[in-house]
Amino acid sequence: MTAIDVYRTLGPESLGELEKEGIKTSLEPLNASDFDFIVAPVHLDTNYPMLSDAALKKIPVLSHHQVVGRILSGYNLKNKTIIELTGTKAKTSTSILLSDILSREKKVVSHTSRGLEDWSTGAIIKKGLSITPASILTALDAVQDAGIEFDVFVAEISLGGTGSADMGIITTIANDYKIANNTRLASDAKRRMILDARPGSVLVVNNDALRFFGACRRDINVISFTGSVNASCNVYYENLDEKGATIAYFLDKEHGRIHIRKPQITI
């Protein structure tokens, strides 16, 4: 196994730690044919020499998202529900709202850009994790180390899903943007949440994304936000102070309030 520092962001200490674990490192691209497969981030330039070489020689290239999904298959997540969210906007707010609602009947842990949170106690288990796919593994390990039991794990993920979730959510693809040195769109990466979804799983997809992505798979249950619901739904902050916030929502004749408490950092 060899790790390539494609962005040249790792210092000697980090590279040394990888070497200690038996992982060879390189700052330069290597010959793709020396490997059985290549794992690359979705935002890596598609013209990066190893990716071009792999395409030419038909060597499989997996994304970080896909590999994390395969690793997660080895975790003991029996009788637990995994929910993954992606989108150009509203990932964190949707994750928090969903976690708050579910926590009224379930034990919920959420992993978002605001931290790894235990909704049973309101405590932040760990702060400072990114929302890149590999951070899900760190988050789940931290939950296990803390001895926290949960029914539902809600994960905010940048640029797609791992394909291992029981439910995937695409909030929106509005304000799409270029990634991978302007060689592809962010929506292309988010579409992998549909393509890589586990058979029999559920996908909740904003109507704008569903129209853009076109026909979906028939072996997954797709739920869409309809235009009429979007038009008649109103959500806003009713109160915001040092203790938390109250969010009011109005959906046709239905209305209610959700209180989001300010998390308490314990670790």
Side-chain angles (χ1 to χ4, degrees), residues 48-255:
Y48 185 74
M50 287 189 72
L51 295 185
S52 300
D53 193 24
L56 182 65
K57 297 175 180 176
K58 301 188 184 313
I59 296 170
V61 177
L62 302 176
S63 71
H64 283 181
H65 295 71
Q66 291 170 315
V67 170
V68 168
R70 295 190 181 192
I71 295 173
L72 282 173
S73 66
Y75 276 60
N76 181 15
L77 298 173
K78 186 178 180 181
N79 299 322
K80 302 183 186 304
T81 301
I82 307 299
I83 301 175
E84 296 179 350
L85 297 96
T86 195
T88 51
K89 297 189 300 182
K91 293 188 294 296
T92 304
S93 57
T94 301
S95 299
I96 292 171
L97 282 169
L98 181 59
S99 297
D100 182 86
I101 293 170
L102 293 175
S103 67
R104 300 177 187 187
E105 296 185 1
K106 303 283 186 179
K107 294 180 180 179
V108 179
V109 171
S110 65
H111 162 50
T112 71
S113 55
R114 94 171 191 168
L116 180 61
E117 185 173 356
D118 178 7
W119 285 80
S120 296
T121 63
I124 292 290
I125 306 164
K126 194 175 184 66
K127 203 166 180 65
L129 292 177
S130 72
I131 57 170
T132 54
S135 293
I136 296 177
L137 304 176
T138 303
L140 285 171
D141 288 345
V143 171
Q144 182 179 11
D145 291 343
I148 296 172
E149 293 293 330
F150 65 91
D151 303 310
V152 182
F153 183 81
V154 179
E156 174 189 355
I157 307 178
S158 60
L159 295 170
T162 68
S164 61
D166 300 289
M167 175 181 288
I169 300 174
I170 301 178
T171 58
T172 181
I173 58 168
N175 300 320
D176 202 4
Y177 55 93
K178 294 285 186 70
I179 61 172
N181 196 24
N182 295 319
T183 60
R184 59 189 304 203
L185 289 168
S187 56
D188 295 333
K190 294 176 177 66
R191 188 169 184 260
R192 295 303 313 186
M193 179 170 273
I194 297 176
L195 299 178
D196 295 337
R198 182 167 51 79
S201 62
V202 177
L203 277 176
V204 181
V205 186
N206 197 320
N207 200 44
D208 70 336
L210 200 59
R211 290 198 306 268
F212 179 82
F213 292 144
C216 288
R217 293 166 45 186
R218 296 184 178 180
D219 59 344
I220 56 179
N221 181 19
V222 178
I223 301 172
S224 173
F225 298 102
T226 66
S228 60
V229 170
N230 284 334
S232 59
C233 181
N234 188 20
V235 180
Y236 61 90
Y237 280 111
E238 189 174 62
N239 183 45
L240 182 63
D241 56 35
E242 66 279 357
K243 295 181 180 180
T246 299
I247 298 176
Y249 66 88
F250 293 84
L251 180 59
D252 291 330
K253 296 180 180 179
E254 300 292 330
H255 62 88

